[in-house]
């Protein structure tokens, strides 16, 4: 962990997260060509690209439903039980996010309102390979279910032994409607434009590599996408009451994800800073993913000792972390000082992995400082709003002159005329 | 207006809106170069590009606040009054969209919740030239105000006589904090990355030409943006009770915007179809923007006579129009059949321009079929959510085994360890 010192400005400069989520022109060009081919020749392109990129010869894109049930039967009951508990917690939290339609008729002859409707079809991308995360399946699918999405289509690249059974079991538990074993930019193109086998969806969610991310950005507008994710991060705020062993363990749990992950401790206590460093060195030794975690904390791990809580929150709000742990005495007191953070963990026992898996809030979170303007994945990401109005002739009569004046000033006479014609004698 | 006949499938194929919102590689390359220059040399780049693209030599980027007050004083009181009435309606509607934080403590020792926070700084792009729309200023700024955004920055390209006074008066009325006279891709770059004069914002909203749209897409991720807008459209649903003169006027009010605008009538009545056509020809003659409207309806105007209401709604939901007028008897009865539409106008007197200017719902709407997944601009577009959790040791103890099992199955041992360490004796 690097010690950062100096003024807030110099510290922020050092921490500056050149939030470069754009891709190279080369990847972009490749991805565009892949998308075009899928648009033109459909399923055959998917089979060709799967052979080319995944080294798998598929005879069928669709994973038969019988395989889902078989996977569920194969998986240990304790695992299914844990997944079921997580599901219950995720559902009870996300149910509270449901937005409601409204209608007002405060003015005579005027009705105004807003409808909330689920998206009809959603595509969920699940990465393949070593990073098979059943928890991600729940986090992406359950909010869509709660929103009322009727058709949830999952795609995931095939491995040598087909699709990971834990992922299949999670998909079955979450209620995915159909699964196709196809990944990469070609999989995204299939969801965006549809092929003979794969339906065109309204929105694509889920994480993926640079090809997947670039393809999502490319098809954005033809379909909606979730946020564009960069390396993830954790900020731990600690005072002298915090437990250095807990802090170290939580920082490492972030660091083990990826060498680009960022783990930052901001503390008012020099003692906590020193002890956390010692704890990290100790705990690191025992980690199976030590190589990744070590590289991550060496390059992107920071300890900052500040002289006040104000300074602590000023730095944190600028970093706008994906995960924020508040290991301060009476942590609830500081809730109102948090402006920018994806998911907030209050107190010594709200450890970050508790949120990753279990507590209920979503673990798909804004990264790389985008918590300043993006939100955790939620039910509203799977709905859309529509507004509606109804006016009587009398109600319109009261407002017509103002509308005509505004339209005329904007040079839009047909707009003015559409109002006026409703009051002409012959109509 | 072209008559479309045949099966739903052939009609939809004809109506198919190749929703091509992507830009040419040439524009993209130009825009990337502009953005890079603004990132590197800041204000000077803005002055240079303004000279190059707008033919205006600026001595200052900021529009002095005194000019706003002067513009307000210059504008006719009746116009200001109309704008004020529109503002009141827009505010009262959007206030109902406010989301609320929640907190639950249903389980012993567990607190979970969600915060809603305003974005801190928002940039509003207002196009210049002939298309100066004070109503757009209100529609983009007021939801941000209601969300609680503290700093609202407007940019707009300068004309030969500076910024349009109606736009300035609307900005003053809406409560814009500062205005810069700069437009184009360079203006968007300034908002996304900041310059000496212009602050970096969290989100950019507002319509613009292809350079502005491409720049917004390019900076997406470094900041948030509103939707990507394509040509706009209106669908009118009419039965034999509808008034052909009203229908024609409303279709034309959409057609006068742009030759790419689409105006579509779907009716169960052959008589209404014929009479609307006659009315359009008649009304078109008197329009100042006849050339645009005529071209628009010739290329993108359609009349479809259907045999049932079901067919009507099936076609409409696939088109997913920006504006939908329901000129059917008892229009409220059909609300539940509308799945995809940005803004809905119920009955003979809810004319589309009433929504554009006055009724209260936003006129920044999803276009080109994107109402399937995008929503009207609203208060929530200017907020972000954060989730939070707090657990006691006892509460975590109950769930720890399940969490450890899930983490271990995903191969993330440091995640498991972060939970386990909290129950080791020495801690």
């Amino acid at each position: 962990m690097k010690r950062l010192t100096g003024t807030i400005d110099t510290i922020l400069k050092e921490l500056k997260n050149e939030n470069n989520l754009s891709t190279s022109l080369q990847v972009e060009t490749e991805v565009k060509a892949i998308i075009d081919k899928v648009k033109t020749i459909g399923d055959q392109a998917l089979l060709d690209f799967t052979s080319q990129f995944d080294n798998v010869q598929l005879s069928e894109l669709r994973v038969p439903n019988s395989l889902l049930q078989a996977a569920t039967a194969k998986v240990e009951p304790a695992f299914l039980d844990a997944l079921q508990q997580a599901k219950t917690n995720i559902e009870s939290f996300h149910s509270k996010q449901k937005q409601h339609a409204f209608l007002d008729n405060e003015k005579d002859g005027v009705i105004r309102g807003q409808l909330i409707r689920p998206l009809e079809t959603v595509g969920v991308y699940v990465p393949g390979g070593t990073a098979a995360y059943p928890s991600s399946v729940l986090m992406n699918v359950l909010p869509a279910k709660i929103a009322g999405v009727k058709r949830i289509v999952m795609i995931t690249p095939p491995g040598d032994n087909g699709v990971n059974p834990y992922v299949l079991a999670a998909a079955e538990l979450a209620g995915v409607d159909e699964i196709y074993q196809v990944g990469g930019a070609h999989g995204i193109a299939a969801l965006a434009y549809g092929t003979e086998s794969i339906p065109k969806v309204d929105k694509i969610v889920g994480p993926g590599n640079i090809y997947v991310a670039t393809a999502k950005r490319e098809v954005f507008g033809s379909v909606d996408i979730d946020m564009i994710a960069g390396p993830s991060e954790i900020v731990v705020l600690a005072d002298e009451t915090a437990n250095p062993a807990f802090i170290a363990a939580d920082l490492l749990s972030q660091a083990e994800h990826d060498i680009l992950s960022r783990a930052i401790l901001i503390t008012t206590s020099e003692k906590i800073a020193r002890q956390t460093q010692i704890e990290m060195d100790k705990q690191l030794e025992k980690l199976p993913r030590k190589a990744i975690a070590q590289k991550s904390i060496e390059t992107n791990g920071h300890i900052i000792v500040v002289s006040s809580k104000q300074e602590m929150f000023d730095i944190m709000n600028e970093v706008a972390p994906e995960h924020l742990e508040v290991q301060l005495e009476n942590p609830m007191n500081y809730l109102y000082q948090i402006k920018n953070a994806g998911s907030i963990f209050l107190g010594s026992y709200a450890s970050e992995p508790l949120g990753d898996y279990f507590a209920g809030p979503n673990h798909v979170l804004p990264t790389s400082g985008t918590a300043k303007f993006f939100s955790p994945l939620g039910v509203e990401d799977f709905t859309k709003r529509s507004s509606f109005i109804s006016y009587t002739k009398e109600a319109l009569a009261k407002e017509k002159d103002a509308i005509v004046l505004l339209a005329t000033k904007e040079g839009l006479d047909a707009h003015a005329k559409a109002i006026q014609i409703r009051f002409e004698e012959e109509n």
Side-chain angles (χ1 to χ4, degrees), chain A:
Chain A
M1 302 280 275
K2 275 181 280 192
R3 277 293 189 110
L4 292 186
T5 51
T7 65
I8 294 191
D9 280 349
T10 57
I11 288 172
L12 284 175
K13 209 164 164 188
E14 191 71 32
L15 284 175
K16 187 157 177 58
N17 197 349
E18 233 328 308
N19 180 9
N20 196 347
L21 302 172
S22 62
T23 31
S24 73
L25 203 61
Q26 197 204 322
V27 173
E28 225 175 284
T29 310
E30 274 182 73
V31 164
K32 280 185 187 182
I34 292 170
I35 293 174
D36 275 346
K37 201 172 160 196
V38 174
K39 270 172 99 163
T40 320
I41 63 170
D43 279 352
Q44 189 55 50
L46 299 180
L47 298 174
D48 293 349
F49 285 128
T50 303
S51 157
Q52 184 183 338
F53 297 129
D54 303 304
N55 259 313
V56 175
Q57 311 300 326
L58 292 178
S59 56
E60 247 208 303
L61 290 164
R62 175 102 188 236
V63 176
N65 280 351
S66 57
L67 255 183
L68 269 76
Q69 286 131 29
T72 303
K74 222 170 7 185
V75 157
E76 309 86 303
F79 177 81
L80 281 183
D81 186 49
L83 218 50
Q84 176 60 54
Q85 287 179 57
K87 178 177 182 248
T88 304
N89 290 343
I90 295 166
E91 285 176 336
S92 67
F93 183 84
H94 285 78
S95 298
K96 299 193 168 59
Q97 293 183 323
K98 279 195 89 161
Q99 295 170 282
H100 296 283
F102 66 77
L103 184 148
D104 90 53
N105 58 345
E106 287 158 14
K107 271 199 283 193
D108 277 356
V110 176
I111 290 173
R112 306 185 304 178
Q114 178 169 282
L115 303 174
I116 308 286
R117 291 267 193 263
L119 305 189
E120 289 184 60
T121 313
V122 164
V124 178
Y125 190 93
V126 176
T130 50
Y133 295 148
S135 60
S136 280
V137 174
L138 300 189
M139 292 292 184
N140 280 285
V141 173
L142 295 176
K145 279 289 200 195
I146 290 169
V149 176
K150 292 225 182 56
R151 188 172 184 185
I152 300 177
V153 179
M154 188 174 118
I155 66 170
T156 187
D160 293 334
N161 305 311
V163 179
N164 181 303
Y166 294 100
V167 165
L168 290 181
E172 171 82 352
L173 183 68
V176 169
D177 295 287
E178 54 212 276
I179 304 182
Y180 300 90
Q181 43 187 335
V182 58
H186 47 294
I188 297 297
L191 291 174
Y193 301 106
T195 68
E196 302 91 315
S197 303
I198 298 182
K200 173 178 170 38
V201 302
D202 296 317
K203 181 165 187 164
I204 302 171
V205 299
N209 64 19
I210 186 72
Y211 287 88
V212 171
T214 305
K216 279 169 66 180
R217 186 194 272 271
E218 206 59 45
V219 302
F220 176 53
S222 296
V223 296
D224 193 14
I225 59 169
D226 58 356
M227 65 204 92
I228 295 172
S232 68
E233 67 272 317
I234 187 170
V235 167
V236 178
L237 307 180
D239 59 19
E240 67 290 347
T241 68
N243 183 320
F246 298 179
I247 300 172
D250 294 353
L251 292 170
L252 286 171
S253 79
Q254 189 62 30
E256 79 168 338
H257 273 300
D258 188 324
I259 57 167
L260 292 174
S261 298
R262 307 200 313 157
I264 300 168
L265 167 63
I266 310 177
T267 177
T268 44
S269 159
E270 176 58 39
K271 190 174 148 207
I272 291 288
R274 272 202 319 274
Q275 290 180 339
T276 301
Q277 181 67 64
I278 293 166
E279 270 292 334
M280 288 192 74
D281 294 341
K282 200 173 89 187
Q283 293 181 24
L284 190 58
E285 288 310 311
K286 298 182 222 152
L287 288 184
R289 293 167 71 93
K290 177 183 166 187
I292 295 171
Q294 185 156 29
K295 178 90 183 167
S296 166
I297 58 168
E298 273 168 20
T299 41
N300 301 303
H302 295 286
I303 295 181
I304 304 161
V305 179
V306 291
S307 52
S308 71
K309 298 245 167 65
Q310 185 60 49
E311 211 179 321
M312 179 180 266
F313 281 98
D314 286 347
I315 294 170
M316 183 283 294
N317 278 319
E318 272 308 306
V319 173
E322 181 188 16
H323 306 98
L324 171 67
E325 287 192 359
V326 184
Q327 301 213 22
L328 303 173
E329 204 174 10
N330 302 318
M332 287 289 276
N333 291 356
Y334 298 96
L335 212 44
Y336 73 99
Q337 282 183 260
I338 302 166
K339 289 184 192 162
N340 307 316
S343 196
I344 303 162
F345 301 81
L346 298 164
S348 294
Y349 290 91
S351 171
E352 191 269 346
L354 166 63
D356 272 359
Y357 289 108
F358 218 78
N362 213 287
H363 79 197
V364 181
L365 297 167
T367 56
S368 305
T370 60
K372 286 188 175 181
F373 43 82
F374 288 150
S375 301
L377 192 69
V379 173
E380 73 184 48
D381 292 303
F382 298 100
T383 61
K384 73 245 177 186
R385 293 175 276 112
S386 299
S387 55
F388 62 91
I389 58 171
S390 172
Y391 268 59
T392 60
K393 185 173 184 180
E394 295 66 36
L396 185 61
K398 283 185 207 151
E399 304 194 336
K400 77 177 198 317
D401 293 344
I403 303 168
V404 168
L405 180 60
L406 291 172
T408 309
K409 280 290 168 208
E410 292 193 353
L412 296 175
D413 293 85
H415 282 62
K417 184 69 184 170
I419 303 298
Q420 288 165 327
I421 202 167
R422 286 167 158 85
F423 297 93
E424 288 172 3
E425 295 239 332
E426 67 269 30
N427 293 306

